[in-house]
Amino acid sequence: MTTHVASPHSAFDSGGRPGGPVRSVIRLHRGGLWVWVGYLAVTAGVLLWLYGPGGSAAEQDSIYCSHHQCYDFGAIGAYKDMLIVVDVLIRAVAFLAPAYVAALLVGRELQHGTHRLAWTQGVSPARWMAARLAVPAVAVTVGTGVLVALFHLVRSAEFGVGNWGFFDSNVYYDGGLLAFVYPLLGVALGALAGLLLGRSVPAALVAVAAMAAAQLLMHTLRFKLLPTETRTSSGTYDVPGGAELQGVDEANVHHITAHFHPASHVWPLQFIESGIVLAAAALAVAGTFQLLRNRAG
């Protein structure tokens, strides 16, 4: 099997200025970048449909159903189904990023040995790896920013359909910082797995599994990152609007205590979790460069 590689000098511009490895990654992986643009276009298209004709039709059905007995069929059902699709597409980025970086940006080059060509032609191993981290990190951050902005546009329309509280799982992830930081962690995990294993498929599987484990762990810890507030009432528990209920203690019918996160905890919780995720990404990047130095040295 013949492996096609770039020219030995393809990592540099005509003046030999820094930045050549980045342009080389963009050129060699322009197909992947176009796939990413298409992915963004499809997701953005669904969001714009929710903001436009889909939302308007669902709102009309919702008005009708407020005076008649209805079920989630027709426009309302379609609107809710597309909200689920959007949630899946935005969350999937955190798994697609490590798979692509591990399999194609790092693992395949190590598997085929094409990385040695760059390393022997003036591109240091550190610059080689930095380019493979920088390009996907910028791509997922910019693309995710577009999707999050459109998600908030849909949320602001207030069609009266769906769950839009900030503690609702789709809003908490799709409309917050988590949609940005988990793909960045994925890029770091993908680079580390690709370098560790040096083979495309195993590296991708390990990177995706590591992302799944990280998300499962943080999902378990998410609402334990800040102490909850409490409110005691009689007859039934009572929490403020927009709060996330965490538990209820029922000593007796006259003494019921609710434990909850008020709406004011949304952004502190987001910042704390995002900080933890970015710290994990930084550790993965540091480990990648240390491993690279050991192997290249």
Side-chain angles (χ1 to χ4, degrees):
M1 181 177 68
T2 303
T3 302
H4 298 283
V5 299
S7 163
H9 300 289
S10 63
F12 301 91
D13 61 18
S14 58
R17 292 185 296 270
V22 171
R23 288 191 291 275
S24 178
V25 170
I26 293 173
R27 182 167 59 252
L28 292 172
H29 293 273
R30 58 184 177 272
L33 289 172
W34 278 115
V35 171
W36 173 232
V37 170
Y39 188 93
L40 292 175
V42 170
T43 309
V46 177
L47 284 163
L48 290 172
W49 179 85
L50 289 169
Y51 180 71
S56 297
E59 184 178 35
Q60 292 300 316
D61 277 13
S62 179
I63 294 172
Y64 174 82
C65 290
S66 65
H67 302 288
H68 303 79
Q69 184 176 1
C70 295
Y71 299 95
D72 285 349
F73 298 127
I76 295 177
Y79 186 90
K80 291 184 175 181
D81 288 344
M82 288 301 102
L83 280 178
I84 295 173
V85 169
V86 165
D87 185 44
V88 170
L89 289 172
I90 293 178
R91 288 175 184 267
V93 176
F95 295 91
L96 296 174
Y100 189 89
V101 173
L104 300 179
L105 279 172
V106 179
R108 185 174 65 180
E109 293 212 15
L110 294 175
Q111 185 174 344
H112 293 166
T114 54
H115 63 291
R116 296 191 183 94
L117 181 63
W119 292 7
T120 57
Q121 295 297 325
V123 179
S124 69
R127 289 182 65 204
W128 178 85
M129 179 59 74
R132 279 152 182 77
L133 287 166
V135 171
V138 171
V140 297
T141 300
V142 173
T144 299
V146 173
L147 298 183
V148 170
L150 289 174
F151 182 85
H152 279 289
L153 183 67
V154 175
R155 184 169 181 256
S156 69
E158 297 183 353
F159 291 117
V161 180
N163 298 317
W164 292 104
F166 222 131
F167 276 118
D168 289 309
S169 61
N170 64 319
V171 180
Y172 194 82
Y173 187 97
D174 302 344
L177 299 175
L178 306 187
F180 292 93
V181 297
Y182 278 108
L184 291 177
L185 175 61
V187 170
L189 291 175
L192 180 58
L195 187 61
L196 274 172
L197 300 177
R199 296 174 60 195
S200 297
V201 175
L205 293 175
V206 168
V208 170
M211 172 55 66
Q215 290 213 20
L216 180 61
L217 174 63
M218 292 311 301
H219 179 77
T220 302
L221 298 176
R222 179 165 296 154
F223 296 120
K224 300 176 182 178
L225 299 174
L226 280 179
T228 58
E229 296 186 6
T230 61
R231 177 177 289 184
T232 301
S233 57
S234 299
T236 183
Y237 64 84
D238 178 37
V239 297
E244 174 69 11
L245 182 66
Q246 293 296 295
V248 178
D249 298 329
E250 298 186 38
N252 54 64
V253 71
H254 300 294
H255 191 86
I256 299 176
T257 301
H259 303 268
F260 61 93
H261 284 293
S264 60
H265 282 191
V266 167
W267 286 110
L269 286 167
Q270 287 258 338
F271 279 115
I272 294 171
E273 182 172 351
S274 297
I276 294 171
V277 173
L278 289 177
L283 287 174
V285 170
T288 299
F289 280 102
Q290 184 59 52
L291 180 62
L292 188 63
R293 280 192 294 270
N294 295 340
R295 290 188 177 181

